[in-house]
Amino acid sequence: MSDTEQTPAVPAQAGAPAVETVARREPLLEVDHVTLRFGGVVALNDVDFTLYKGEILGLIGPNGAGKTTCFNAMTGIYQPTEGQIRFRGQKISGKKRHHITKMGMARTFQNIRLFPEMTALENVQVGADAHHKTSVVAALLRLPRHWKEEREGREKAERLLEFVGIRHRMHEFARNLSYGEQRRLEIARALATDPVLLCLDEPAAGFNPAEKEELLQLIRQIRDTGVTVLLIEHDMRLVMGVTDRIVVLEFGKKIAEGLPVEVRDNPKVIAAYLGVPDDAA
Amino acid sequence: MTTVLDKLRSGREAVGERWHHAPRWVRWVLLAALIVFFYALPNKEFYQYLGPIPTPGANFTQVLFTISIYVLLAVGLNIVVGFAGLLDLGYFGFFAVGAYTVAVLTSPSSDIKTLWPWLLVVPIAIGLTMVSGVMLGTPTLRLRGDYLALVTLGFAEMIRIAATSSTFLKGQRGFNQIPHPPGEYADGKPFFGVLDARPYYWLVLTLIILVVIGVRNLTHSRVGRAWISIREDEDAAQLMGVPTFKFKLWAFAAGAAIAGLAGALFAGKQNFVNSQNFELLNSIIILAAVIFGGSGNIVGAIVGGGLVAYMIERFRGIELFGIELYEYRFLFFGLVLVVMMIFRPQGLIPNRRRAAEFKDRRKEVIVGE
Ligand SMILES: Nc1ncnc2c1ncn2[C@@H]1O[C@H](COP(=O)(O)OP(=O)(O)OP(=O)(O)O)[C@@H](O)[C@H]1O
Ligand SMILES: [Mg+2]
């Protein structure tokens, strides 16, 4: 996969070869003509795109475009009204949420949803527990499997906290962490479930430019470990800098898809973003 | 006023801090001393030196047995309410299932006349209670919020009504001659007799210690993390791979099993079980005890269960201006709870997380001013 990696700082001067390599890639997530209605509101309207293994795909669009709804449909919170979503070739709808997580999909939340009265470490351990098999009886009697998984989970959690840069805060309750630390903790918790696909819902919201740059760095590192990333973001520049491809939603419809440069110059996208108060300028 | 309260508060918190920072051996020695104290407590030679602590109006040893049962129940309910965050308003119903299982299978007044020994029936009682917990939980734990509270409330009432009016469960007449636990002294006298409540208390105390070790093992594991994560944010827990339904059901089953054990112990001591033992009020008292002690904390539940049961019994036999205080025990109990919720809403010995949360809230209030 490394041969197809682009240096995001120099966004695809030669578009054609990149498209070719993408085509060779294995589809990981297929959003297949998905429509999702809430009563009269059509939150997703025939949305159709594919996410390939190893890429960073940006999902952008103005407020209320349906980006978060798309995430929610992918993670089993909402069922599509029409169409279907396939992850690693399997249909998502009807699957239990924790099962989808076990299949390798993990996410963060636009409005942070940690376990506030658990420590940072425990938050990440919950994620690591997703693949643990210690039964209630084994935990009650402290059988060897309990000790083994407990040690592994703890080591993994500490490693991930180190990776996102908040290991020194691991015994602090999540609620006492700063806003930025909480966002990082969410990423660590999601990574602890060993995802194949990591979905980040506006992970840089409320960050200053320096913090955003650090976060970009982190996202690239995550991708380099072999995790595919789906990134919702408002900040156009941020998306340009880090994504391999971009899908643009507006009013629940996909209005563009392609390489960052293509999308940036697409008149429909420019129109959608014109006058929209965001940090894109 | 507030400064005095603050001092009191920080004083208590300091005790907690000191405990957590004390060397391991100090903690073990203190814990051992405490356990020895509670084993010695029902002996008259010991408690007669404890001033006003023994209850004047009732046999203190009997009272201790009652308290120990409440403690066991509080520890069990704390799993459900304190850790998993599920509001169970009918917890005493499981206690009734445990007690009636023993009554039906051991008592000569039972219709089926199996007359099995007590010890054999205890595991059956625990198992049946667990099954009833799972049966009650399976349809309701999929739902969110207040349904569970309503259904559990209904369950406890259902058990009580069945006990009152079904001929099989004998209503007011009840079951008598329920056998005691086995064991005898060298001279052939039974260890668990009719008059002396001490052996029963010791038995329950020992079981409390074992149950607490078990519950602690669970809460310090993947299981406990799952429970707390469900309490904190059920959706997020699911999306992080926690099979929430399964673990809620386990919390329910574990809580029920402990209540079933308590019911079996109660029946084995009491010798007699009838429908009057299972009023709804008992469920509320235990829930109050858990919250009073500090929900989500095992030590808090123990202290809460112990103090609440003790307070109620302590009023017995005290007269003030010609009024029997025991008659008004629930009034006092209610008052204490109200005062408590005003000055220490997190409970006496809160879970450290809770303590932090309430501290922060106080800060927020102060900042808000
Ligand atoms: N549970 C729901 N019930 C009804 N309408 C909903 C629900 N969830 C989302 N919507 C509507 O669906 C549309 C898309 O919302 P969504 O949150 O997906 O937008 P978004 O692209 O994530 O926007 P933002 O950038 O503000 O986060 C909005 O019009 C929203 O009001
Ligand atoms: Mg959104």
Side-chain angles (χ1 to χ4, degrees):
Chain A
M1 234 133 265
S2 57
D3 60 323
T4 62
E5 251 174 49
Q6 302 167 343
T7 326
V10 206
Q13 59 289 69
V19 171
E20 221 175 50
T21 42
V22 162
R24 272 200 281 119
R25 286 177 177 180
E26 196 184 323
L28 185 63
L29 179 86
E30 297 154 86
V31 177
D32 186 359
H33 297 280
V34 167
T35 299
L36 205 151
R37 293 194 194 89
F38 296 110
V41 181
V42 186
L44 294 177
N45 189 350
D46 200 28
V47 173
D48 187 72
F49 65 88
T50 301
L51 182 62
Y52 297 94
K53 228 175 187 163
E55 70 176 341
I56 301 182
L57 182 79
L59 187 60
I60 67 170
N63 282 104
K67 306 179 295 288
T68 301
T69 305
C70 192
F71 262 35
N72 287 339
M74 284 160 44
T75 45
I77 295 181
Y78 300 142
Q79 301 297 327
T81 321
E82 282 161 46
Q84 57 168 249
I85 298 172
R86 282 183 302 275
F87 180 56
R88 307 175 89 173
Q90 286 182 287
K91 243 172 76 178
I92 284 294
S93 70
K95 287 221 160 56
K96 298 224 167 62
R97 294 178 193 175
H98 63 89
H99 192 74
I100 297 172
T101 308
K102 267 193 206 158
M103 285 170 68
M105 197 191 302
R107 67 172 287 177
T108 65
F109 300 85
Q110 184 170 355
N111 39 359
I112 299 169
R113 289 181 76 168
L114 290 162
F115 308 122
E117 289 176 38
M118 298 177 92
T119 63
L121 183 70
E122 288 169 329
N123 265 274
V124 185
Q125 280 177 299
V126 170
D129 285 336
H131 293 283
H132 286 171
K133 293 193 173 62
T134 302
S135 65
V136 173
V137 175
L140 180 69
L141 303 176
R142 305 245 136 159
L143 299 183
R145 173 177 260 169
H146 162 81
W147 293 113
K148 181 170 160 280
E149 292 190 339
E150 203 66 8
R151 197 180 49 244
E152 283 171 3
R154 165 98 194 218
E155 278 166 11
K156 184 191 203 176
E158 286 189 31
R159 207 169 53 237
L160 285 168
L161 285 169
E162 176 88 58
F163 177 67
V164 300
I166 55 169
R167 176 147 187 249
H168 58 291
R169 305 278 278 159
M170 68 179 179
H171 294 304
E172 202 60 64
F173 290 124
R175 63 193 320 282
N176 294 335
L177 297 182
S178 75
Y179 178 77
E181 287 167 340
Q182 292 193 0
R183 286 240 174 254
R184 286 163 178 276
L185 179 55
E186 270 213 326
I187 296 176
R189 184 180 67 174
L191 285 174
T193 65
D194 289 334
V196 181
L197 169 62
L198 177 66
C199 308
L200 303 169
D201 196 345
E202 303 204 22
F207 278 16
N208 66 34
E211 289 170 326
K212 278 186 181 169
E213 187 45 49
E214 274 180 52
L215 189 82
L216 285 189
Q217 216 47 57
L218 193 68
I219 293 173
R220 284 192 204 107
Q221 281 176 24
I222 291 170
R223 194 263 312 267
D224 291 346
T225 63
V227 178
T228 309
V229 179
L230 180 55
L231 175 67
I232 290 187
E233 189 44 65
H234 246 115
D235 186 336
M236 281 278 257
R237 206 177 29 192
L238 189 90
V239 180
M240 294 295 153
V242 72
T243 51
D244 299 318
R245 281 190 318 129
I246 291 177
V247 169
V248 189
L249 294 181
E250 189 193 14
F251 297 125
K253 272 194 130 117
K254 183 178 85 172
I255 57 166
E257 176 176 5
L259 298 173
V261 268
E262 297 169 351
V263 166
R264 191 184 55 198
D265 299 335
N266 185 318
K268 274 194 197 160
V269 179
I270 294 169
Y273 265 85
L274 263 185
V276 176
D278 61 9
D279 342 350
Chain B
M1 173 82 177
T2 36
T3 50
V4 174
L5 278 172
D6 278 342
K7 248 182 216 155
L8 267 176
R9 230 179 237 125
S10 57
R12 259 194 249 104
E13 263 143 34
V15 172
E17 280 303 297
R18 229 178 282 162
W19 173 261
H20 283 290
H21 291 129
R24 226 195 164 97
W25 68 268
V26 173
R27 284 195 265 171
W28 279 112
V29 168
L30 286 175
L31 195 64
L34 209 64
I35 289 173
V36 169
F37 172 83
F38 279 108
Y39 273 103
L41 197 54
N43 294 301
K44 186 144 205 287
E45 301 78 32
F46 181 65
Y47 70 70
Q48 64 184 344
Y49 299 109
L50 293 179
I53 290 179
T55 45
N59 178 329
F60 188 51
T61 314
Q62 296 286 351
V63 169
L64 281 177
F65 173 78
T66 308
I67 293 176
S68 65
I69 290 287
Y70 271 87
V71 167
L72 192 53
L73 286 169
V75 169
L77 183 60
N78 186 41
I79 298 177
V80 183
V81 176
F83 285 105
L86 304 165
L87 189 53
D88 182 347
L89 292 182
Y91 189 62
F92 216 71
F94 296 118
F95 178 81
V97 172
Y100 269 107
T101 307
V102 170
V104 168
L105 292 175
T106 64
S107 163
S109 23
S110 158
D111 290 347
I112 55 174
K113 299 242 178 329
T114 40
L115 300 177
W116 286 345
W118 180 82
L119 195 59
L120 174 74
V121 178
V122 173
I124 300 175
I126 295 173
L128 263 183
T129 323
M130 261 179 111
V131 169
S132 68
V134 171
M135 270 166 50
L136 188 64
T138 306
T140 39
L141 290 173
R142 292 184 198 280
L143 308 170
R144 296 282 170 94
D146 308 333
Y147 294 102
L148 185 69
L150 282 176
V151 171
T152 49
L153 192 64
F155 165 74
E157 265 307 89
M158 213 173 73
I159 300 278
R160 191 186 64 81
I161 291 168
T164 314
S165 42
S166 120
T167 47
F168 184 69
L169 294 179
K170 305 279 175 231
Q172 288 261 15
R173 269 183 32 243
F175 296 84
N176 48 33
Q177 293 179 49
I178 295 169
H180 296 295
E184 47 190 43
Y185 292 105
D187 61 3
K189 268 203 301 186
F191 190 55
F192 293 93
V194 181
L195 293 175
D196 190 2
R198 284 180 308 172
Y200 298 97
Y201 166 78
W202 286 324
L203 176 64
V204 181
L205 185 58
T206 309
L207 287 168
I208 289 175
I209 293 171
L210 290 177
V211 166
V212 165
I213 291 171
V215 173
R216 227 190 91 90
N217 281 356
L218 288 180
T219 55
H220 285 65
S221 78
R222 152 177 204 231
V223 181
R225 278 193 298 272
W227 284 339
I228 299 174
S229 72
I230 292 167
R231 183 189 76 197
E232 296 286 288
D233 187 333
E234 192 167 346
D235 286 311
Q238 281 180 338
L239 291 166
M240 290 308 132
V242 178
T244 51
F245 176 66
K246 175 179 141 187
F247 279 109
K248 285 198 285 185
L249 208 52
W250 267 113
F252 224 60
I258 293 172
L261 171 67
L265 288 164
F266 174 80
K269 150 88 169 46
Q270 230 49 15
N271 198 258
F272 175 70
V273 166
N274 79 354
S275 59
Q276 283 185 319
N277 295 322
F278 309 104
E279 294 299 324
L280 181 65
L281 187 62
N282 294 311
S283 291
I284 307 299
I285 290 176
I286 295 163
L287 182 62
V290 169
I291 294 168
F292 181 77
S295 134
N297 180 314
I298 300 175
V299 179
I302 295 172
V303 173
L307 276 186
V308 165
Y310 174 73
M311 272 193 305
I312 291 171
E313 290 297 328
R314 188 67 184 76
F315 285 120
R316 216 188 276 271
I318 302 179
E319 259 190 43
L320 209 65
F321 310 120
I323 301 166
E324 174 72 56
L325 283 190
Y326 187 70
E327 297 293 315
Y328 293 91
R329 61 195 186 280
F330 291 116
L331 178 70
F332 288 105
F333 178 54
L335 272 178
V336 169
L337 279 184
V338 170
V339 170
M340 173 89 179
M341 286 304 118
I342 293 171
F343 291 113
R344 201 170 166 82
Q346 67 270 49
L348 276 182
I349 306 182
N351 162 343
R352 277 197 291 165
R353 314 166 196 284
R354 274 283 147 79
E357 183 189 4
F358 279 100
K359 226 184 200 169
D360 283 6
R361 268 195 211 154
R362 281 170 52 75
K363 256 189 235 150
E364 277 160 26
V365 171
I366 289 161
V367 171
E369 283 164 356

